[in-house]
């Protein structure tokens, strides 16, 4: 099954609005538009992990609500120096409509892990998203 990967900050903002606990626009500008990461590689990495399943320690599930889940995907980047030098992608996966939606990008050196508040916000976001798509179906 093919998944569409949404990495456009405006589309993500339209879907989540102020509920998103991250500043994806700023993160995309910092990592993608400054050519540290290639957008095509981000999309390919996310799609590969969604289609092929969760592979610890590369992928960790933050939360799951029926057919929706939020994953943290570890990406070692171009240098392939290991996970501690790489990036993290926070992705909402909608298995009903076959979407992967990028919620956040951060570099391991900039941020060690998600805070408990961020994880709780993501759980609420996942529930709200799932209920909205179930209502629409």
């Amino acid at each position: 099954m093919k998944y569409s990967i949404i990495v456009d900050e405006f589309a993500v903002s339209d879907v989540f609005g102020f509920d998103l606990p991250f500043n994806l626009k700023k993160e995309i500008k910092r990592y993608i538009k400054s050519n540290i990461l290639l957008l095509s590689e981000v999309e390919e990495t996310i799609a590969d992990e969604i289609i092929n399943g969760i592979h610890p320690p590369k992928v960790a599930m933050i939360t799951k609500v029926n057919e929706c889940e939020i994953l943290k995907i570890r990406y070692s980047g171009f240098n392939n120096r290991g996970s501690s030098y790489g990036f993290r992608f926070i992705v909402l996966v909608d298995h009903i409509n076959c979407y992967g939606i990028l919620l956040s990008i951060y570099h391991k050196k900039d941020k060690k892990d998600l805070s408990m508040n961020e994880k709780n916000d993501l759980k609420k976001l996942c529930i709200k998203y799932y209920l909205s798509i179930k209502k629409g179906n």
Side-chain angles (χ1 to χ4, degrees):
M1 179 166 294
K2 186 170 172 79
Y3 279 73
S4 296
I5 309 302
I6 300 170
V7 296
D8 177 67
E9 69 264 25
F10 299 108
V12 174
S13 180
D14 285 346
V15 172
F16 298 105
F18 294 109
D19 290 334
L20 192 62
F22 308 106
N23 188 339
L24 184 61
K25 182 178 180 179
K26 183 178 176 181
E27 294 165 354
I28 286 176
K29 183 179 180 182
R30 181 174 186 179
Y31 299 121
I32 294 176
K33 291 184 179 174
S34 64
N35 295 318
I36 294 172
L37 288 170
L38 294 176
L39 187 59
S40 60
E41 283 195 28
V42 172
E43 292 173 336
E44 186 178 302
T45 300
I46 292 169
D48 183 56
E49 290 303 324
I50 292 170
I51 292 166
N52 294 319
I54 297 174
H55 299 97
K58 188 175 180 183
V59 179
M61 185 180 304
I62 296 170
T63 191
K64 181 175 176 125
V65 179
N66 295 324
E67 296 99 341
C68 292
E69 57 193 4
I70 296 182
L71 305 176
K72 178 172 71 173
I73 300 172
R74 292 165 177 88
Y75 176 67
S76 60
F78 304 118
N79 56 20
N80 205 19
R81 292 175 60 188
S83 64
S84 63
Y85 293 95
F87 294 87
R88 305 298 183 257
F89 306 140
I90 307 300
V91 180
L92 185 141
V93 181
D94 173 350
H95 293 291
I96 296 170
N97 299 302
C98 298
Y99 284 120
I101 304 170
L102 180 66
L103 302 177
S104 180
I105 303 171
Y106 63 92
H107 196 281
K108 179 71 173 177
K109 71 177 181 180
D110 297 333
K111 183 177 186 174
K112 295 288 182 202
D113 201 1
L114 297 174
S115 70
M116 190 53 75
N117 285 341
E118 288 171 325
K119 289 178 183 180
N120 289 334
D121 288 345
L122 287 171
K123 289 176 186 179
K124 292 174 191 172
L125 183 79
C126 192
I127 291 167
K128 188 173 182 179
Y129 180 84
Y130 175 74
L131 293 174
S132 73
I133 61 173
K134 286 306 282 184
K135 185 177 180 182
N137 284 347

